[in-house]
Amino acid sequence: MAEDGARNGAAVPLVEAIREAIIGGEFVPNQRLVEADLSTQFDASRASVRSALLELANEGLVERIQNRGARVRAVSLDEAVEISEVRMVLEGLCAAHAAAAVTGVEIRELRAIGASMREAVADGDLLGYSSLNQELHRRVREIGGQRTASRLLERLRGQNVRHQFRLAMHPGRPAVSLPEHLAIIEAICTHDADAAEAAARKHLRSVIDTLREVDRTGQEPRPR
């Protein structure tokens, strides 16, 4: 039993490393994930790599094809919209709880993130803005204390990585999403749970509209 626990504990960092490589765009949708290559890249045994890929397949990040191994799962526009609709509910829940729980220190932190987002948009820093965007959503989840929702949202974010890159690079998107994010921050910082939930839902409805617009234009920027 102890041996199994040790093996499971050792596998966790590998799962996280491959997950982050997929979310970060190092591995792109439909790319084959060759066990021998991953074993070398992450300095892990083939058995550990195989176990990690099975876990990531259960999360929906990887798909295993009979007699062909594993590859990064590609998500269609329709599924991306469905994922965003689920996020709408969960992000709204987290924002409402954050508004009820936020402390003075956390209010200053959120307002500082908002100020940095303004600066990034003014400077045309798309990657910086995208990073701050992720930080804001993460902090709202943490402040709200919704651990189950946070786990689900992290999984959904990984599945939607291709569309997230396309969305982040869509011309004019930051100018649209910035006031939406600032509205979420303001509602949380004033302890208005209803307004926080409404602002989060409005933001995700905007995400869905933009996903459809990006798909119509056929825009496909290269991640990183």
Side-chain angles (χ1 to χ4, degrees), residues 43-59:
D43 192 22
S45 69
R46 292 279 293 272
S48 296
V49 169
R50 191 173 303 117
S51 176
L53 291 177
L54 284 172
E55 184 168 339
L56 292 170
N58 289 334
E59 293 184 11

Side-chain angles (χ1 to χ4, degrees), residues 2-70:
E3 184 180 349
D4 288 345
R7 278 203 301 265
N8 289 339
V12 170
L14 178 60
V15 171
E16 292 177 355
I18 298 175
R19 183 190 296 118
E20 285 305 310
I22 293 172
I23 292 173
E26 183 177 345
F27 301 135
V28 298
N30 291 320
Q31 179 176 339
R32 287 189 63 215
L33 298 171
V34 181
E35 289 180 5
D37 294 343
L38 294 175
S39 178
T40 299
Q41 179 175 347
F42 294 102
D43 192 22
S45 69
R46 292 279 293 272
S48 296
V49 169
R50 191 173 303 117
S51 176
L53 291 177
L54 284 172
E55 184 168 339
L56 292 170
N58 289 334
E59 293 184 11
L61 285 177
V62 168
E63 61 179 343
R64 300 187 67 85
I65 304 171
Q66 190 171 6
N67 301 323
R68 297 184 62 185

Side-chain angles (χ1 to χ4, degrees), residues 176-205:
V176 174
S177 66
L178 175 62
E180 295 169 354
H181 286 124
L182 295 178
I184 295 170
I185 291 172
E186 185 60 25
I188 291 173
C189 290
T190 55
H191 302 282
D192 191 333
D194 290 340
E197 181 171 5
R201 284 175 170 264
K202 180 180 179 181
H203 171 56
L204 267 297
R205 280 194 292 271

Side-chain angles (χ1 to χ4, degrees), residues 3 52 76 80 83 97-98 101 104 123 139-140 148 157 189 192 211 217:
E3 184 180 349
S76 68
I83 288 171
H97 279 271
D123 294 341
R139 286 301 291 135
V140 169
T148 299
R157 183 172 75 93
C189 290
D192 191 333
L211 282 173
T217 66

Side-chain angles (χ1 to χ4, degrees), residues 122-175:
D123 294 341
D125 181 5
L126 293 181
L127 291 179
Y129 178 74
S130 179
S131 177
L132 289 163
N133 179 358
Q134 294 179 28
E135 180 182 358
L136 173 62
H137 284 276
R138 176 180 59 80
R139 286 301 291 135
V140 169
R141 295 195 299 269
E142 291 172 349
I143 293 168
Q146 291 291 306
R147 288 178 292 180
T148 299
S150 293
R151 288 195 297 270
L152 291 171
L153 285 165
E154 277 300 303
R155 181 175 295 191
L156 293 172
R157 183 172 75 93
Q159 292 179 18
N160 226 13
V161 63
R162 166 176 170 258
H163 295 280
Q164 288 168 351
F165 278 121
R166 300 176 74 195
L167 193 67
M169 298 303 165
H170 186 58
R173 175 61 191 168

Side-chain angles (χ1 to χ4, degrees), residues 75-78 80-81 84 160-174 176 205-222:
V75 172
S76 68
L77 171 66
D78 287 343
V81 169
S84 298
N160 226 13
V161 63
R162 166 176 170 258
H163 295 280
Q164 288 168 351
F165 278 121
R166 300 176 74 195
L167 193 67
M169 298 303 165
H170 186 58
R173 175 61 191 168
V176 174
R205 280 194 292 271
S206 171
V207 167
I208 291 169
D209 291 342
T210 307
L211 282 173
R212 289 179 170 136
E213 180 181 342
V214 170
D215 187 75
R216 284 194 299 270
T217 66
Q219 181 190 19
E220 191 70 55
R222 292 176 59 85

Side-chain angles (χ1 to χ4, degrees), residues 81-96:
V81 169
E82 288 181 11
I83 288 171
S84 298
E85 288 172 340
V86 174
R87 279 188 60 204
M88 185 189 301
V89 176
L90 294 176
E91 298 273 11
L93 174 69
C94 290

